[in-house]
Amino acid sequence: MLSRKGIIPEEYVLTRLAEDPTEPRYRARERRARFVSKNGNCNVAHKNIREQGRFLQDVFTTLVDLKWPYTLLIFTMSFLCSWLLFAMVWWLIAFAHGDLAPGEGAAVPCVTSIHSFSSAFLFSIEVQVTIGFGGRMVTEECPLAILILIVQNIVGLMINAIMLGCIFMKTAQAHRRAETLIFSKHAVIALRHSRLCFMLRVGDLRKSMIISATIHMQVVRKTTSPEGEVVPLHQVDIPMENGVGGNNIFLVAPLIIYHVIDANSPLYDLAPCDLHHHQDLEIIVILEGVVETTGITTQARTSYLADEILWGQRFVPIVAEEDGRYSVDYSKFGNTIKVPTPLCTARQLDEDPSLLDVLTLARGPLRKRGMAMAKAKAKFSISPDSPS
C-alpha cells in the first residue's frame, strides 16, 4: 500500500510472501514471574478453595481484609438492618397491645407516640444510638418492651465495637508503616574483605524508629529432587550480615546489608553470565520490626530477579557529617559505581585465589594515575590568598 503511493520504494518493501514458511520461528522466552513483587505484594492466586466457610469462622479478620468499599457497605448495612429489625419488633409490640389505634387501645401504651412503622423506626434509632429526643419513651405497662429495650442496647454496643474496631485496624494496618521502609532498586555483587558479597541497601524515611528490626533473605527457585520431585518454589534461607553482625539491625540511617557468598551459599556457582531475565532465580528480602509509636509489628518485603543484580558495582556513600550532625542524601540511595571485580563464580575464586592478585595489579596503576593527577592539580592550582 505504501509502495503504491510512492512513499516507500518498491525494492525496500518486504512482504510476508517472501518468508519461508518451512523455516521455524523462535519466540523470546518470557521473563520469569515474580513470587514477591518489588512493593512487597505476593504474586500468588488462590483458586478452587472449597471450604469457604473457614473465612466466616474468623469474621473480624475477614472484615479487616476486605477492600474499603465493601467494608463501608457492611458498616452501613449492619446499622440499617438492626434499626429496621428492631423497628419491626417495636411495631409488633405496639400492634399487639393496641397502641396503633388510640381510640380502641389501652389507656397506657407500651411506647408513647408510636402510631405507624415510621414512628417505630425513629424510636429504634433513638434507642440504639441513645439520642433521646423526649417524644417517645418506654412505659412500665409492658415488661416485654423493657426486655426488648435492653436487648437492642446490647446489640447496638456489639455492632459499634466490632465495626469501629474493624475500621481502626484497617487504618492502622502494619503495611502502612512499611511504605516508608525502602530498598534499593538493584542489588550488587562485589568484593568485600576479599570475598564476593551480595549487597543491598535498606533505609527508613521516618524519624520514628523500627524497634528490634531484623532482616532475612531467601532464594526462591525451581528445583528437582534426586527422586524426581519438582519443587516449583524451593525456598532456601541465606544468612545476612551488617555492620554489627547477625540479622538484627539499628535502622537509624540507611545500611548496606550483605551476604558473603561462600561454600554454604546458594549463590556459590552464580556467574556474571547468569544475571539475565531468563535465569530462574529470585532473592526475597524481608525486613521485620516493631513500630516505635504504635507497638505494631510491621514487615516490608521486596525481591530481586537475576537481571536486577549488578555484578562488579558498589553503592555510593550517602551519609555525611554536616554541621555537627549526620546528613543522609536520599537522592543517591540507589546509585552505584563500578569497581574491579573478578568475572568468575565464588567457587572459582576459592579454587584459584590468584584471580585477586590480578585485580590488585590492575588496580595499582589506576591508583597511581589518580594520585599523579591529584598532585598535578595541586601543583598548578591558584590559592585564593595569593597576591594578584
Side-chain angles (χ1 to χ4, degrees), residues 254-313:
L255 297 176
I256 296 178
I257 311 299
Y258 68 94
H259 158 67
V260 179
I261 305 177
D262 53 12
N264 298 322
S265 173
L267 309 178
Y268 196 50
D269 295 319
L270 185 66
C273 59
D274 297 329
L275 301 181
H276 51 79
H277 65 277
H278 299 328
Q279 180 70 18
D280 185 15
L281 175 66
E282 182 176 1
I283 300 176
I284 300 174
V285 182
I286 303 173
L287 173 63
E288 188 174 6
V290 179
V291 182
E292 183 181 22
T293 54
T294 62
I296 300 176
T297 302
T298 185
Q299 186 181 92
R301 299 178 295 268
T302 191
S303 68
Y304 299 96
L305 297 181
D307 58 340
E308 295 173 345
I309 302 174
L310 306 179
W311 192 282
Q313 298 200 28

Short mmCIF file of all heavy atoms in Angstrom, two decimals, residues 254-313:
data_model
loop_
_atom_site.label_atom_id
_atom_site.label_comp_id
_atom_site.label_asym_id
_atom_site.label_seq_id
_atom_site.Cartn_x
_atom_site.Cartn_y
_atom_site.Cartn_z
N PRO A 254 20.35 4.72 56.56
CA PRO A 254 20.44 3.64 55.57
C PRO A 254 21.65 2.76 55.78
O PRO A 254 22.76 3.23 56.07
CB PRO A 254 20.52 4.41 54.23
CG PRO A 254 19.84 5.70 54.51
CD PRO A 254 20.16 6.04 55.93
N LEU A 255 21.45 1.45 55.65
CA LEU A 255 22.50 0.47 55.85
C LEU A 255 22.67 -0.37 54.60
O LEU A 255 21.73 -0.59 53.85
CB LEU A 255 22.17 -0.45 57.04
CG LEU A 255 22.04 0.20 58.41
CD1 LEU A 255 21.61 -0.84 59.43
CD2 LEU A 255 23.36 0.84 58.83
N ILE A 256 23.88 -0.84 54.40
CA ILE A 256 24.18 -1.79 53.33
C ILE A 256 24.25 -3.17 53.96
O ILE A 256 25.14 -3.46 54.77
CB ILE A 256 25.49 -1.44 52.61
CG1 ILE A 256 25.36 -0.09 51.90
CG2 ILE A 256 25.85 -2.53 51.61
CD1 ILE A 256 26.62 0.36 51.20
N ILE A 257 23.30 -4.00 53.63
CA ILE A 257 23.24 -5.37 54.14
C ILE A 257 23.91 -6.27 53.11
O ILE A 257 23.66 -6.14 51.91
CB ILE A 257 21.79 -5.81 54.38
CG1 ILE A 257 21.04 -4.75 55.20
CG2 ILE A 257 21.75 -7.14 55.10
CD1 ILE A 257 21.61 -4.48 56.55
N TYR A 258 24.76 -7.16 53.58
CA TYR A 258 25.49 -8.00 52.63
C TYR A 258 25.48 -9.45 53.09
O TYR A 258 25.33 -9.76 54.28
CB TYR A 258 26.92 -7.51 52.44
CG TYR A 258 27.82 -7.66 53.64
CD1 TYR A 258 28.65 -8.77 53.79
CD2 TYR A 258 27.85 -6.68 54.63
CE1 TYR A 258 29.47 -8.91 54.89
CE2 TYR A 258 28.68 -6.80 55.73
CZ TYR A 258 29.48 -7.92 55.85
OH TYR A 258 30.29 -8.06 56.95
N HIS A 259 25.64 -10.31 52.13
CA HIS A 259 25.73 -11.74 52.35
C HIS A 259 27.00 -12.25 51.71
O HIS A 259 27.25 -12.04 50.51
CB HIS A 259 24.51 -12.45 51.74
CG HIS A 259 24.73 -13.90 51.44
ND1 HIS A 259 24.91 -14.84 52.44
CD2 HIS A 259 24.81 -14.57 50.27
CE1 HIS A 259 25.09 -16.03 51.87
NE2 HIS A 259 25.04 -15.89 50.57
N VAL A 260 27.83 -12.89 52.49
CA VAL A 260 29.10 -13.43 51.98
C VAL A 260 28.80 -14.71 51.20
O VAL A 260 28.20 -15.66 51.72
CB VAL A 260 30.08 -13.71 53.13
CG1 VAL A 260 31.37 -14.31 52.59
CG2 VAL A 260 30.36 -12.43 53.92
N ILE A 261 29.22 -14.73 49.95
CA ILE A 261 28.99 -15.89 49.09
C ILE A 261 30.11 -16.89 49.34
O ILE A 261 31.23 -16.74 48.83
CB ILE A 261 28.94 -15.47 47.61
CG1 ILE A 261 27.88 -14.38 47.40
CG2 ILE A 261 28.63 -16.66 46.72
CD1 ILE A 261 27.80 -13.86 45.98
N ASP A 262 29.81 -17.87 50.15
CA ASP A 262 30.81 -18.89 50.48
C ASP A 262 30.30 -20.25 50.03
O ASP A 262 29.34 -20.36 49.26
CB ASP A 262 31.11 -18.88 51.98
CG ASP A 262 29.84 -18.98 52.82
OD1 ASP A 262 28.77 -19.30 52.25
OD2 ASP A 262 29.91 -18.75 54.04
N ALA A 263 30.95 -21.29 50.52
CA ALA A 263 30.59 -22.65 50.08
C ALA A 263 29.19 -23.06 50.53
O ALA A 263 28.58 -23.94 49.91
CB ALA A 263 31.62 -23.65 50.60
N ASN A 264 28.65 -22.44 51.57
CA ASN A 264 27.32 -22.77 52.05
C ASN A 264 26.23 -21.92 51.42
O ASN A 264 25.06 -22.05 51.78
CB ASN A 264 27.26 -22.61 53.58
CG ASN A 264 28.21 -23.56 54.29
OD1 ASN A 264 28.39 -24.70 53.86
ND2 ASN A 264 28.83 -23.08 55.36
N SER A 265 26.58 -21.05 50.51
CA SER A 265 25.62 -20.13 49.91
C SER A 265 25.02 -20.74 48.66
O SER A 265 25.71 -21.39 47.86
CB SER A 265 26.30 -18.80 49.57
OG SER A 265 25.44 -17.97 48.84
N PRO A 266 23.73 -20.52 48.41
CA PRO A 266 23.13 -20.98 47.15
C PRO A 266 23.64 -20.22 45.94
O PRO A 266 23.41 -20.65 44.80
CB PRO A 266 21.63 -20.74 47.35
CG PRO A 266 21.43 -20.41 48.77
CD PRO A 266 22.73 -19.98 49.33
N LEU A 267 24.33 -19.08 46.16
CA LEU A 267 24.89 -18.29 45.07
C LEU A 267 26.33 -18.64 44.80
O LEU A 267 27.04 -17.90 44.12
CB LEU A 267 24.77 -16.79 45.40
CG LEU A 267 23.38 -16.29 45.83
CD1 LEU A 267 23.44 -14.81 46.16
CD2 LEU A 267 22.37 -16.55 44.74
N TYR A 268 26.79 -19.77 45.31
CA TYR A 268 28.21 -20.13 45.21
C TYR A 268 28.63 -20.33 43.75
O TYR A 268 29.77 -20.05 43.39
CB TYR A 268 28.47 -21.39 46.02
CG TYR A 268 29.92 -21.67 46.31
CD1 TYR A 268 30.75 -20.68 46.84
CD2 TYR A 268 30.47 -22.92 46.07
CE1 TYR A 268 32.08 -20.94 47.11
CE2 TYR A 268 31.80 -23.19 46.35
CZ TYR A 268 32.60 -22.19 46.86
OH TYR A 268 33.93 -22.44 47.13
N ASP A 269 27.73 -20.81 42.91
CA ASP A 269 28.05 -21.07 41.50
C ASP A 269 27.44 -20.03 40.57
O ASP A 269 27.32 -20.27 39.37
CB ASP A 269 27.55 -22.47 41.10
CG ASP A 269 28.28 -23.57 41.84
OD1 ASP A 269 29.51 -23.45 42.01
OD2 ASP A 269 27.62 -24.54 42.27
N LEU A 270 27.06 -18.88 41.10
CA LEU A 270 26.48 -17.82 40.29
C LEU A 270 27.59 -17.04 39.59
O LEU A 270 28.52 -16.56 40.24
CB LEU A 270 25.64 -16.89 41.15
CG LEU A 270 24.87 -15.79 40.43
CD1 LEU A 270 23.78 -16.40 39.54
CD2 LEU A 270 24.26 -14.81 41.42
N ALA A 271 27.48 -16.93 38.27
CA ALA A 271 28.48 -16.23 37.46
C ALA A 271 27.86 -14.98 36.84
O ALA A 271 26.62 -14.86 36.78
CB ALA A 271 29.00 -17.15 36.36
N PRO A 272 28.67 -14.04 36.37
CA PRO A 272 28.09 -12.84 35.74
C PRO A 272 27.23 -13.15 34.53
O PRO A 272 26.25 -12.43 34.27
CB PRO A 272 29.34 -12.03 35.35
CG PRO A 272 30.41 -12.50 36.25
CD PRO A 272 30.13 -13.94 36.51
N CYS A 273 27.54 -14.19 33.79
CA CYS A 273 26.74 -14.53 32.61
C CYS A 273 25.37 -15.08 32.98
O CYS A 273 24.49 -15.20 32.10
CB CYS A 273 27.49 -15.55 31.75
SG CYS A 273 27.89 -17.09 32.60
N ASP A 274 25.13 -15.39 34.25
CA ASP A 274 23.83 -15.91 34.68
C ASP A 274 22.85 -14.80 35.06
O ASP A 274 21.69 -15.10 35.34
CB ASP A 274 24.00 -16.84 35.89
CG ASP A 274 24.83 -18.06 35.56
OD1 ASP A 274 24.79 -18.50 34.40
OD2 ASP A 274 25.53 -18.57 36.46
N LEU A 275 23.29 -13.56 35.06
CA LEU A 275 22.43 -12.46 35.50
C LEU A 275 21.64 -11.91 34.32
O LEU A 275 21.91 -10.82 33.81
CB LEU A 275 23.28 -11.36 36.16
CG LEU A 275 24.10 -11.81 37.38
CD1 LEU A 275 24.86 -10.64 37.96
CD2 LEU A 275 23.19 -12.44 38.43
N HIS A 276 20.68 -12.68 33.88
CA HIS A 276 19.78 -12.25 32.80
C HIS A 276 18.36 -12.68 33.17
O HIS A 276 18.15 -13.47 34.11
CB HIS A 276 20.20 -12.85 31.45
CG HIS A 276 20.41 -14.33 31.49
ND1 HIS A 276 19.36 -15.23 31.44
CD2 HIS A 276 21.54 -15.09 31.59
CE1 HIS A 276 19.83 -16.46 31.48
NE2 HIS A 276 21.16 -16.41 31.58
N HIS A 277 17.37 -12.16 32.44
CA HIS A 277 15.98 -12.37 32.83
C HIS A 277 15.49 -13.79 32.54
O HIS A 277 14.39 -14.14 32.93
CB HIS A 277 15.07 -11.36 32.13
CG HIS A 277 15.03 -11.52 30.64
ND1 HIS A 277 15.99 -10.98 29.82
CD2 HIS A 277 14.15 -12.17 29.83
CE1 HIS A 277 15.70 -11.27 28.57
NE2 HIS A 277 14.59 -11.99 28.53
N HIS A 278 16.29 -14.61 31.85
CA HIS A 278 15.92 -15.99 31.64
C HIS A 278 16.30 -16.89 32.82
O HIS A 278 15.81 -18.01 32.92
CB HIS A 278 16.57 -16.54 30.37
CG HIS A 278 16.18 -15.80 29.13
ND1 HIS A 278 14.94 -15.22 28.98
CD2 HIS A 278 16.84 -15.54 27.98
CE1 HIS A 278 14.86 -14.64 27.79
NE2 HIS A 278 16.01 -14.82 27.17
N GLN A 279 17.17 -16.40 33.69
CA GLN A 279 17.65 -17.21 34.80
C GLN A 279 16.56 -17.40 35.84
O GLN A 279 15.86 -16.45 36.23
CB GLN A 279 18.87 -16.54 35.45
CG GLN A 279 19.47 -17.30 36.61
CD GLN A 279 20.16 -18.58 36.18
OE1 GLN A 279 20.48 -18.74 35.02
NE2 GLN A 279 20.40 -19.47 37.11
N ASP A 280 16.38 -18.65 36.26
CA ASP A 280 15.36 -18.97 37.26
C ASP A 280 15.93 -18.70 38.65
O ASP A 280 16.42 -19.61 39.33
CB ASP A 280 14.93 -20.43 37.12
CG ASP A 280 13.78 -20.79 38.05
OD1 ASP A 280 13.15 -19.85 38.57
OD2 ASP A 280 13.52 -21.98 38.25
N LEU A 281 15.89 -17.45 39.06
CA LEU A 281 16.46 -17.04 40.34
C LEU A 281 15.71 -15.83 40.85
O LEU A 281 15.47 -14.87 40.11
CB LEU A 281 17.95 -16.70 40.19
CG LEU A 281 18.65 -16.13 41.42
CD1 LEU A 281 18.73 -17.16 42.53
CD2 LEU A 281 20.04 -15.62 41.06
N GLU A 282 15.32 -15.88 42.10
CA GLU A 282 14.68 -14.74 42.77
C GLU A 282 15.14 -14.72 44.22
O GLU A 282 15.07 -15.74 44.91
CB GLU A 282 13.16 -14.82 42.69
CG GLU A 282 12.46 -13.62 43.33
CD GLU A 282 10.96 -13.66 43.16
OE1 GLU A 282 10.46 -14.64 42.56
OE2 GLU A 282 10.27 -12.71 43.62
N ILE A 283 15.60 -13.56 44.65
CA ILE A 283 16.08 -13.38 46.01
C ILE A 283 15.10 -12.47 46.74
O ILE A 283 14.88 -11.32 46.34
CB ILE A 283 17.49 -12.79 46.04
CG1 ILE A 283 18.46 -13.72 45.30
CG2 ILE A 283 17.96 -12.55 47.46
CD1 ILE A 283 19.86 -13.18 45.18
N ILE A 284 14.50 -12.99 47.80
CA ILE A 284 13.49 -12.26 48.57
C ILE A 284 14.13 -11.73 49.84
O ILE A 284 14.83 -12.46 50.55
CB ILE A 284 12.30 -13.18 48.91
CG1 ILE A 284 11.65 -13.70 47.63
CG2 ILE A 284 11.27 -12.45 49.76
CD1 ILE A 284 10.57 -14.72 47.88
N VAL A 285 13.87 -10.45 50.12
CA VAL A 285 14.40 -9.79 51.32
C VAL A 285 13.22 -9.37 52.18
O VAL A 285 12.27 -8.75 51.69
CB VAL A 285 15.27 -8.58 50.95
CG1 VAL A 285 15.85 -7.95 52.21
CG2 VAL A 285 16.37 -8.98 49.99
N ILE A 286 13.26 -9.70 53.46
CA ILE A 286 12.17 -9.42 54.41
C ILE A 286 12.74 -8.64 55.58
O ILE A 286 13.66 -9.10 56.26
CB ILE A 286 11.51 -10.72 54.90
CG1 ILE A 286 10.99 -11.54 53.72
CG2 ILE A 286 10.38 -10.41 55.87
CD1 ILE A 286 10.48 -12.91 54.11
N LEU A 287 12.20 -7.45 55.80
CA LEU A 287 12.56 -6.61 56.94
C LEU A 287 11.38 -6.56 57.90
O LEU A 287 10.27 -6.21 57.50
CB LEU A 287 12.93 -5.20 56.48
CG LEU A 287 13.18 -4.16 57.57
CD1 LEU A 287 14.37 -4.56 58.43
CD2 LEU A 287 13.40 -2.78 56.96
N GLU A 288 11.61 -6.92 59.15
CA GLU A 288 10.54 -7.01 60.14
C GLU A 288 10.96 -6.33 61.42
O GLU A 288 12.13 -6.38 61.81
CB GLU A 288 10.18 -8.48 60.41
CG GLU A 288 8.96 -8.68 61.27
CD GLU A 288 8.57 -10.14 61.37
OE1 GLU A 288 9.33 -11.00 60.86
OE2 GLU A 288 7.52 -10.44 61.97
N GLY A 289 10.00 -5.66 62.07
CA GLY A 289 10.30 -4.97 63.32
C GLY A 289 9.03 -4.43 63.94
O GLY A 289 7.92 -4.60 63.41
N VAL A 290 9.17 -3.77 65.08
CA VAL A 290 8.05 -3.21 65.84
C VAL A 290 8.07 -1.69 65.66
O VAL A 290 9.11 -1.05 65.84
CB VAL A 290 8.15 -3.58 67.33
CG1 VAL A 290 7.00 -2.97 68.12
CG2 VAL A 290 8.16 -5.09 67.50
N VAL A 291 6.91 -1.13 65.31
CA VAL A 291 6.80 0.32 65.15
C VAL A 291 6.90 0.99 66.51
O VAL A 291 6.20 0.61 67.46
CB VAL A 291 5.48 0.68 64.45
CG1 VAL A 291 5.38 2.19 64.23
CG2 VAL A 291 5.36 -0.06 63.13
N GLU A 292 7.75 1.97 66.62
CA GLU A 292 8.01 2.61 67.91
C GLU A 292 6.79 3.34 68.45
O GLU A 292 6.51 3.31 69.65
CB GLU A 292 9.18 3.59 67.77
CG GLU A 292 9.60 4.27 69.06
CD GLU A 292 10.73 5.24 68.85
OE1 GLU A 292 10.89 5.71 67.70
OE2 GLU A 292 11.44 5.54 69.81
N THR A 293 6.01 3.98 67.59
CA THR A 293 4.90 4.81 68.04
C THR A 293 3.65 4.01 68.37
O THR A 293 2.88 4.39 69.26
CB THR A 293 4.56 5.86 66.96
OG1 THR A 293 4.33 5.18 65.71
CG2 THR A 293 5.71 6.83 66.80
N THR A 294 3.40 2.90 67.67
CA THR A 294 2.16 2.14 67.87
C THR A 294 2.38 0.78 68.52
O THR A 294 1.43 0.20 69.04
CB THR A 294 1.44 1.94 66.53
OG1 THR A 294 2.29 1.18 65.64
CG2 THR A 294 1.12 3.27 65.89
N GLY A 295 3.59 0.24 68.48
CA GLY A 295 3.84 -1.07 69.04
C GLY A 295 3.36 -2.21 68.17
O GLY A 295 3.31 -3.36 68.61
N ILE A 296 2.99 -1.93 66.92
CA ILE A 296 2.50 -2.95 65.99
C ILE A 296 3.67 -3.50 65.20
O ILE A 296 4.55 -2.74 64.75
CB ILE A 296 1.43 -2.37 65.05
CG1 ILE A 296 0.24 -1.85 65.86
CG2 ILE A 296 0.97 -3.40 64.03
CD1 ILE A 296 -0.82 -1.17 65.02
N THR A 297 3.70 -4.80 65.02
CA THR A 297 4.76 -5.42 64.22
C THR A 297 4.49 -5.17 62.75
O THR A 297 3.38 -5.40 62.26
CB THR A 297 4.83 -6.93 64.50
OG1 THR A 297 5.05 -7.14 65.89
CG2 THR A 297 5.94 -7.57 63.70
N THR A 298 5.48 -4.69 62.04
CA THR A 298 5.37 -4.42 60.61
C THR A 298 6.39 -5.23 59.84
O THR A 298 7.41 -5.68 60.41
CB THR A 298 5.55 -2.92 60.32
OG1 THR A 298 5.30 -2.68 58.93
CG2 THR A 298 6.96 -2.47 60.65
N GLN A 299 6.13 -5.40 58.56
CA GLN A 299 7.01 -6.19 57.71
C GLN A 299 7.05 -5.57 56.32
O GLN A 299 6.00 -5.27 55.74
CB GLN A 299 6.54 -7.64 57.63
CG GLN A 299 7.49 -8.56 56.88
CD GLN A 299 6.98 -9.98 56.79
OE1 GLN A 299 6.31 -10.35 55.84
NE2 GLN A 299 7.30 -10.79 57.80
N ALA A 300 8.24 -5.36 55.82
CA ALA A 300 8.45 -4.85 54.46
C ALA A 300 9.18 -5.91 53.66
O ALA A 300 10.12 -6.53 54.15
CB ALA A 300 9.24 -3.54 54.49
N ARG A 301 8.75 -6.09 52.41
CA ARG A 301 9.33 -7.14 51.56
C ARG A 301 9.68 -6.56 50.20
O ARG A 301 9.06 -5.61 49.73
CB ARG A 301 8.34 -8.29 51.39
CG ARG A 301 7.94 -8.98 52.67
CD ARG A 301 6.93 -10.08 52.40
NE ARG A 301 5.67 -9.54 51.90
CZ ARG A 301 4.64 -9.20 52.66
NH1 ARG A 301 4.73 -9.34 53.98
NH2 ARG A 301 3.53 -8.72 52.14
N THR A 302 10.64 -7.18 49.57
CA THR A 302 10.98 -6.89 48.18
C THR A 302 11.69 -8.10 47.62
O THR A 302 11.98 -9.07 48.35
CB THR A 302 11.85 -5.63 48.06
OG1 THR A 302 11.95 -5.25 46.68
CG2 THR A 302 13.25 -5.89 48.60
N SER A 303 11.99 -8.07 46.34
CA SER A 303 12.67 -9.19 45.71
C SER A 303 13.55 -8.68 44.59
O SER A 303 13.34 -7.57 44.05
CB SER A 303 11.67 -10.22 45.17
OG SER A 303 10.95 -9.68 44.07
N TYR A 304 14.52 -9.48 44.23
CA TYR A 304 15.45 -9.17 43.15
C TYR A 304 15.53 -10.36 42.21
O TYR A 304 15.86 -11.47 42.64
CB TYR A 304 16.85 -8.84 43.71
CG TYR A 304 16.88 -7.64 44.62
CD1 TYR A 304 16.81 -7.80 46.00
CD2 TYR A 304 16.96 -6.36 44.11
CE1 TYR A 304 16.83 -6.71 46.85
CE2 TYR A 304 16.99 -5.25 44.95
CZ TYR A 304 16.92 -5.43 46.32
OH TYR A 304 16.94 -4.34 47.15
N LEU A 305 15.21 -10.12 40.95
CA LEU A 305 15.42 -11.14 39.94
C LEU A 305 16.87 -11.11 39.48
O LEU A 305 17.65 -10.23 39.86
CB LEU A 305 14.46 -10.93 38.76
CG LEU A 305 12.96 -11.06 39.07
CD1 LEU A 305 12.15 -10.85 37.81
CD2 LEU A 305 12.65 -12.40 39.71
N ALA A 306 17.23 -12.07 38.63
CA ALA A 306 18.63 -12.18 38.23
C ALA A 306 19.10 -10.95 37.47
O ALA A 306 20.23 -10.49 37.65
CB ALA A 306 18.81 -13.44 37.37
N ASP A 307 18.24 -10.37 36.60
CA ASP A 307 18.66 -9.20 35.83
C ASP A 307 18.62 -7.92 36.64
O ASP A 307 18.96 -6.85 36.11
CB ASP A 307 17.79 -9.06 34.58
CG ASP A 307 16.32 -8.93 34.93
OD1 ASP A 307 15.95 -9.31 36.05
OD2 ASP A 307 15.53 -8.45 34.09
N GLU A 308 18.21 -7.98 37.91
CA GLU A 308 18.24 -6.82 38.79
C GLU A 308 19.42 -6.85 39.75
O GLU A 308 19.49 -6.06 40.68
CB GLU A 308 16.93 -6.75 39.59
CG GLU A 308 15.71 -6.51 38.72
CD GLU A 308 14.40 -6.62 39.47
OE1 GLU A 308 14.42 -7.15 40.60
OE2 GLU A 308 13.38 -6.20 38.93
N ILE A 309 20.35 -7.76 39.50
CA ILE A 309 21.58 -7.87 40.29
C ILE A 309 22.73 -7.39 39.42
O ILE A 309 22.96 -7.92 38.32
CB ILE A 309 21.81 -9.31 40.76
CG1 ILE A 309 20.62 -9.80 41.59
CG2 ILE A 309 23.09 -9.40 41.59
CD1 ILE A 309 20.70 -11.27 41.97
N LEU A 310 23.44 -6.38 39.88
CA LEU A 310 24.53 -5.78 39.12
C LEU A 310 25.86 -6.36 39.61
O LEU A 310 26.18 -6.28 40.79
CB LEU A 310 24.53 -4.25 39.29
CG LEU A 310 23.20 -3.55 38.95
CD1 LEU A 310 23.32 -2.05 39.19
CD2 LEU A 310 22.77 -3.84 37.53
N TRP A 311 26.60 -6.92 38.67
CA TRP A 311 27.90 -7.52 39.01
C TRP A 311 29.00 -6.47 38.88
O TRP A 311 29.06 -5.73 37.92
CB TRP A 311 28.19 -8.69 38.08
CG TRP A 311 29.35 -9.53 38.52
CD1 TRP A 311 30.68 -9.24 38.38
CD2 TRP A 311 29.29 -10.80 39.18
NE1 TRP A 311 31.45 -10.22 38.92
CE2 TRP A 311 30.63 -11.21 39.42
CE3 TRP A 311 28.25 -11.62 39.59
CZ2 TRP A 311 30.93 -12.41 40.03
CZ3 TRP A 311 28.55 -12.82 40.21
CH2 TRP A 311 29.88 -13.20 40.42
N GLY A 312 29.88 -6.43 39.86
CA GLY A 312 31.02 -5.53 39.80
C GLY A 312 30.68 -4.08 40.08
O GLY A 312 31.33 -3.18 39.55
N GLN A 313 29.66 -3.83 40.91
CA GLN A 313 29.31 -2.46 41.27
C GLN A 313 29.13 -2.37 42.78
O GLN A 313 28.94 -3.37 43.47
CB GLN A 313 28.03 -2.03 40.55
CG GLN A 313 28.17 -2.03 39.03
CD GLN A 313 27.14 -1.17 38.37
OE1 GLN A 313 26.65 -0.19 38.94
NE2 GLN A 313 26.79 -1.51 37.13
#
